[in-house]
PDB file of all heavy atoms in Angstrom:
ATOM      1  N   THR A 336      -4.601  38.622   6.162  1.00  0.00           N
ATOM      2  CA  THR A 336      -5.255  39.580   6.995  1.00  0.00           C
ATOM      3  C   THR A 336      -4.344  40.118   7.957  1.00  0.00           C
ATOM      4  O   THR A 336      -4.584  41.223   8.556  1.00  0.00           O
ATOM      5  CB  THR A 336      -6.525  38.997   7.710  1.00  0.00           C
ATOM      6  OG1 THR A 336      -6.059  37.939   8.574  1.00  0.00           O
ATOM      7  CG2 THR A 336      -7.522  38.491   6.772  1.00  0.00           C
ATOM      8  N   GLY A 337      -3.201  39.381   8.319  1.00  0.00           N
ATOM      9  CA  GLY A 337      -2.300  39.888   9.462  1.00  0.00           C
ATOM     10  C   GLY A 337      -2.929  39.597  10.791  1.00  0.00           C
ATOM     11  O   GLY A 337      -2.448  40.143  11.709  1.00  0.00           O
ATOM     12  N   ASN A 338      -3.961  38.860  10.861  1.00  0.00           N
ATOM     13  CA  ASN A 338      -4.687  38.593  12.058  1.00  0.00           C
ATOM     14  C   ASN A 338      -4.754  37.093  12.313  1.00  0.00           C
ATOM     15  O   ASN A 338      -5.358  36.358  11.550  1.00  0.00           O
ATOM     16  CB  ASN A 338      -6.020  39.239  12.060  1.00  0.00           C
ATOM     17  CG  ASN A 338      -6.724  39.277  13.378  1.00  0.00           C
ATOM     18  OD1 ASN A 338      -6.711  38.220  14.128  1.00  0.00           O
ATOM     19  ND2 ASN A 338      -7.456  40.352  13.705  1.00  0.00           N
ATOM     20  N   CYS A 339      -4.300  36.686  13.464  1.00  0.00           N
ATOM     21  CA  CYS A 339      -4.178  35.197  13.763  1.00  0.00           C
ATOM     22  C   CYS A 339      -5.345  34.744  14.666  1.00  0.00           C
ATOM     23  O   CYS A 339      -5.416  33.585  15.066  1.00  0.00           O
ATOM     24  CB  CYS A 339      -2.895  34.775  14.382  1.00  0.00           C
ATOM     25  SG  CYS A 339      -2.625  35.511  16.073  1.00  0.00           S
ATOM     26  N   THR A 340      -6.335  35.585  14.901  1.00  0.00           N
ATOM     27  CA  THR A 340      -7.420  35.246  15.839  1.00  0.00           C
ATOM     28  C   THR A 340      -8.116  33.866  15.514  1.00  0.00           C
ATOM     29  O   THR A 340      -8.180  33.038  16.319  1.00  0.00           O
ATOM     30  CB  THR A 340      -8.415  36.298  15.938  1.00  0.00           C
ATOM     31  OG1 THR A 340      -7.820  37.563  16.373  1.00  0.00           O
ATOM     32  CG2 THR A 340      -9.639  35.946  16.853  1.00  0.00           C
ATOM     33  N   TYR A 341      -8.531  33.748  14.241  1.00  0.00           N
ATOM     34  CA  TYR A 341      -9.263  32.485  13.860  1.00  0.00           C
ATOM     35  C   TYR A 341      -8.330  31.315  13.898  1.00  0.00           C
ATOM     36  O   TYR A 341      -8.751  30.191  14.459  1.00  0.00           O
ATOM     37  CB  TYR A 341      -9.860  32.630  12.468  1.00  0.00           C
ATOM     38  CG  TYR A 341     -10.957  33.598  12.395  1.00  0.00           C
ATOM     39  CD1 TYR A 341     -10.706  34.955  11.925  1.00  0.00           C
ATOM     40  CD2 TYR A 341     -12.200  33.316  12.880  1.00  0.00           C
ATOM     41  CE1 TYR A 341     -11.847  35.824  11.786  1.00  0.00           C
ATOM     42  CE2 TYR A 341     -13.292  34.187  12.723  1.00  0.00           C
ATOM     43  CZ  TYR A 341     -13.007  35.493  12.273  1.00  0.00           C
ATOM     44  OH  TYR A 341     -14.108  36.447  12.077  1.00  0.00           O
ATOM     45  N   LEU A 342      -7.103  31.440  13.510  1.00  0.00           N
ATOM     46  CA  LEU A 342      -6.108  30.294  13.544  1.00  0.00           C
ATOM     47  C   LEU A 342      -5.904  29.852  14.930  1.00  0.00           C
ATOM     48  O   LEU A 342      -5.781  28.746  15.228  1.00  0.00           O
ATOM     49  CB  LEU A 342      -4.850  30.735  12.801  1.00  0.00           C
ATOM     50  CG  LEU A 342      -3.736  29.656  12.706  1.00  0.00           C
ATOM     51  CD1 LEU A 342      -4.207  28.457  11.845  1.00  0.00           C
ATOM     52  CD2 LEU A 342      -2.428  30.261  12.156  1.00  0.00           C
ATOM     53  N   LYS A 343      -5.697  30.887  15.819  1.00  0.00           N
ATOM     54  CA  LYS A 343      -5.432  30.622  17.370  1.00  0.00           C
ATOM     55  C   LYS A 343      -6.600  29.841  17.926  1.00  0.00           C
ATOM     56  O   LYS A 343      -6.461  28.921  18.753  1.00  0.00           O
ATOM     57  CB  LYS A 343      -5.017  31.880  18.029  1.00  0.00           C
ATOM     58  CG  LYS A 343      -4.718  31.735  19.425  1.00  0.00           C
ATOM     59  CD  LYS A 343      -4.116  33.060  20.047  1.00  0.00           C
ATOM     60  CE  LYS A 343      -4.963  34.248  19.846  1.00  0.00           C
ATOM     61  NZ  LYS A 343      -4.470  35.351  20.603  1.00  0.00           N
ATOM     62  N   GLN A 344      -7.825  30.325  17.560  1.00  0.00           N
ATOM     63  CA  GLN A 344      -9.051  29.738  18.197  1.00  0.00           C
ATOM     64  C   GLN A 344      -9.096  28.310  17.750  1.00  0.00           C
ATOM     65  O   GLN A 344      -9.428  27.401  18.550  1.00  0.00           O
ATOM     66  CB  GLN A 344     -10.318  30.545  17.800  1.00  0.00           C
ATOM     67  CG  GLN A 344     -10.473  31.869  18.436  1.00  0.00           C
ATOM     68  CD  GLN A 344     -11.608  32.654  17.879  1.00  0.00           C
ATOM     69  OE1 GLN A 344     -12.221  32.382  16.894  1.00  0.00           O
ATOM     70  NE2 GLN A 344     -11.982  33.661  18.504  1.00  0.00           N
ATOM     71  N   TRP A 345      -8.848  28.034  16.548  1.00  0.00           N
ATOM     72  CA  TRP A 345      -8.965  26.665  15.967  1.00  0.00           C
ATOM     73  C   TRP A 345      -7.883  25.800  16.722  1.00  0.00           C
ATOM     74  O   TRP A 345      -8.106  24.610  17.042  1.00  0.00           O
ATOM     75  CB  TRP A 345      -8.728  26.728  14.455  1.00  0.00           C
ATOM     76  CG  TRP A 345      -8.467  25.293  13.853  1.00  0.00           C
ATOM     77  CD1 TRP A 345      -9.261  24.344  13.610  1.00  0.00           C
ATOM     78  CD2 TRP A 345      -7.030  24.919  13.445  1.00  0.00           C
ATOM     79  NE1 TRP A 345      -8.590  23.289  13.106  1.00  0.00           N
ATOM     80  CE2 TRP A 345      -7.310  23.565  12.941  1.00  0.00           C
ATOM     81  CE3 TRP A 345      -5.876  25.452  13.421  1.00  0.00           C
ATOM     82  CZ2 TRP A 345      -6.250  22.787  12.411  1.00  0.00           C
ATOM     83  CZ3 TRP A 345      -4.787  24.711  12.920  1.00  0.00           C
ATOM     84  CH2 TRP A 345      -5.045  23.466  12.460  1.00  0.00           C
ATOM     85  N   LEU A 346      -6.631  26.364  16.758  1.00  0.00           N
ATOM     86  CA  LEU A 346      -5.548  25.481  17.334  1.00  0.00           C
ATOM     87  C   LEU A 346      -5.875  25.126  18.758  1.00  0.00           C
ATOM     88  O   LEU A 346      -5.622  24.007  19.177  1.00  0.00           O
ATOM     89  CB  LEU A 346      -4.199  26.275  17.196  1.00  0.00           C
ATOM     90  CG  LEU A 346      -2.965  25.351  17.496  1.00  0.00           C
ATOM     91  CD1 LEU A 346      -2.847  24.320  16.464  1.00  0.00           C
ATOM     92  CD2 LEU A 346      -1.754  26.311  17.542  1.00  0.00           C
ATOM     93  N   MET A 347      -6.435  26.073  19.515  1.00  0.00           N
ATOM     94  CA  MET A 347      -6.805  25.760  20.899  1.00  0.00           C
ATOM     95  C   MET A 347      -7.749  24.700  21.015  1.00  0.00           C
ATOM     96  O   MET A 347      -7.806  23.955  21.976  1.00  0.00           O
ATOM     97  CB  MET A 347      -7.296  27.006  21.629  1.00  0.00           C
ATOM     98  CG  MET A 347      -6.146  28.033  21.864  1.00  0.00           C
ATOM     99  SD  MET A 347      -6.707  29.692  22.445  1.00  0.00           S
ATOM    100  CE  MET A 347      -8.339  29.382  23.003  1.00  0.00           C
ATOM    101  N   SER A 348      -8.650  24.544  19.982  1.00  0.00           N
ATOM    102  CA  SER A 348      -9.764  23.555  20.032  1.00  0.00           C
ATOM    103  C   SER A 348      -9.326  22.221  19.575  1.00  0.00           C
ATOM    104  O   SER A 348     -10.175  21.287  19.796  1.00  0.00           O
ATOM    105  CB  SER A 348     -10.954  24.060  19.161  1.00  0.00           C
ATOM    106  OG  SER A 348     -10.622  23.996  17.756  1.00  0.00           O
ATOM    107  N   MET A 349      -8.152  22.073  18.988  1.00  0.00           N
ATOM    108  CA  MET A 349      -7.767  20.804  18.367  1.00  0.00           C
ATOM    109  C   MET A 349      -7.216  19.872  19.445  1.00  0.00           C
ATOM    110  O   MET A 349      -6.280  20.140  20.169  1.00  0.00           O
ATOM    111  CB  MET A 349      -6.607  21.048  17.358  1.00  0.00           C
ATOM    112  CG  MET A 349      -7.093  21.787  16.073  1.00  0.00           C
ATOM    113  SD  MET A 349      -8.421  20.780  15.191  1.00  0.00           S
ATOM    114  CE  MET A 349      -7.316  19.822  14.350  1.00  0.00           C
ATOM    115  N   PRO A 350      -7.817  18.631  19.549  1.00  0.00           N
ATOM    116  CA  PRO A 350      -7.357  17.594  20.538  1.00  0.00           C
ATOM    117  C   PRO A 350      -6.009  17.132  20.108  1.00  0.00           C
ATOM    118  O   PRO A 350      -5.762  16.888  19.011  1.00  0.00           O
ATOM    119  CB  PRO A 350      -8.476  16.602  20.523  1.00  0.00           C
ATOM    120  CG  PRO A 350      -9.087  16.625  19.066  1.00  0.00           C
ATOM    121  CD  PRO A 350      -8.919  18.078  18.728  1.00  0.00           C
ATOM    122  N   PRO A 351      -5.090  16.828  21.194  1.00  0.00           N
ATOM    123  CA  PRO A 351      -3.894  16.177  20.814  1.00  0.00           C
ATOM    124  C   PRO A 351      -4.171  14.761  20.172  1.00  0.00           C
ATOM    125  O   PRO A 351      -5.126  14.077  20.675  1.00  0.00           O
ATOM    126  CB  PRO A 351      -3.110  16.063  22.054  1.00  0.00           C
ATOM    127  CG  PRO A 351      -4.180  16.249  23.175  1.00  0.00           C
ATOM    128  CD  PRO A 351      -5.231  17.007  22.582  1.00  0.00           C
ATOM    129  N   ALA A 352      -3.391  14.355  19.160  1.00  0.00           N
ATOM    130  CA  ALA A 352      -3.583  13.094  18.690  1.00  0.00           C
ATOM    131  C   ALA A 352      -3.043  12.062  19.523  1.00  0.00           C
ATOM    132  O   ALA A 352      -1.877  12.184  20.086  1.00  0.00           O
ATOM    133  CB  ALA A 352      -2.806  12.937  17.253  1.00  0.00           C
TER     134      ALA A 352
END
Side-chain angles (χ1 to χ4, degrees):
T336 63
N338 188 320
C339 66
T340 300
Y341 291 102
L342 182 63
K343 183 167 60 177
Q344 289 174 348
W345 164 77
L346 192 64
M347 286 170 22
S348 71
M349 292 295 282

